[in-house]
Amino acid sequence: MNWTTKTLNKCEVLVSGDFPCKNGRQQLRESGKMRGTFTDADAAKAHAAFIMDQRKPSPRTQASLPAPKRERKGGGSAVHPKIFGFSACAVLKALGRVGIKYPEADAILKRHGIEMPKAFVSVQLGFGRNEHTWQRHGQPAPLTPEQLNELGVAHD
């Protein structure tokens, strides 16, 4: 990445595209959203590189996974993203059940071309962790160990 120094509001800021760092502690931002606070610029750069690597599909995964499917339900105008034929919500619940946290789940969704708000993703992961919520909010997707491996999830 190409990092440059700029002066914003009388403070020196380290900037690479949408990743500014300010005020002694380094802030990592992406499209205006805070992605983390770090003690030095090297740690911020390393985390930025990690985030970008997580979003790139591996050549093996890219070749084996079909493009994300968006199906219309009952002729209505709602479009529901699918992963492995299951709704993205059911897949998020399955990821929550195996202990995945928001950053990893967000990276998985972005690799499949799906954007969802952080609050929504976090709630769905929580529903997957709590079995008593399944009857009211839906069952997690019954993903096989091979499908979890394709998503990049280490599981038991």
Side-chain angles (χ1 to χ4, degrees):
M1 288 185 205
N2 185 17
W3 294 82
T4 58
T5 302
K6 293 184 180 178
T7 302
L8 297 174
N9 298 331
K10 299 179 184 176
C11 292
E12 221 172 68
V13 179
L14 184 62
V15 179
S16 174
D18 288 335
F19 299 103
C21 305
K22 335 178 174 180
N23 300 336
R25 293 198 47 94
Q26 307 300 317
Q27 294 181 352
L28 179 61
R29 294 180 179 268
E30 178 181 23
S31 301
K33 293 182 182 177
M34 177 71 81
R35 295 294 183 199
T37 304
F38 302 91
T39 56
D40 61 3
D42 292 333
K45 291 176 190 177
H47 193 71
F50 169 76
I51 289 172
M52 299 311 287
D53 286 343
Q54 289 294 311
R55 293 188 183 155
K56 291 180 191 172
S58 69
R60 183 186 66 80
T61 306
Q62 190 173 16
S64 65
L65 293 178
K69 295 181 182 175
R70 296 187 174 256
E71 299 175 5
R72 295 192 182 267
K73 185 177 179 181
S77 62
V79 177
H80 302 282
K82 304 267 184 183
I83 300 174
F84 298 125
F86 301 107
S87 73
C89 295
V91 171
L92 284 172
K93 289 176 194 149
L95 293 175
R97 185 172 59 184
V98 296
I100 297 298
K101 303 291 186 211
Y102 170 77
E104 295 87 8
D106 186 48
I108 289 168
L109 289 176
K110 288 187 178 180
R111 279 194 304 252
H112 285 84
I114 300 170
E115 291 279 336
M116 290 185 179
K118 179 181 182 195
F120 185 80
V121 172
S122 297
V123 166
Q124 294 299 319
L125 291 170
F127 287 156
R129 287 185 204 105
N130 299 310
E131 191 172 332
H132 68 276
T133 64
W134 295 355
Q135 185 168 355
R136 181 175 176 143
H137 300 287
Q139 296 283 329
L143 298 177
T144 64
E146 292 80 24
Q147 289 171 326
L148 288 171
N149 283 336
E150 284 187 43
L151 290 175
V153 175
H155 58 87
D156 296 328

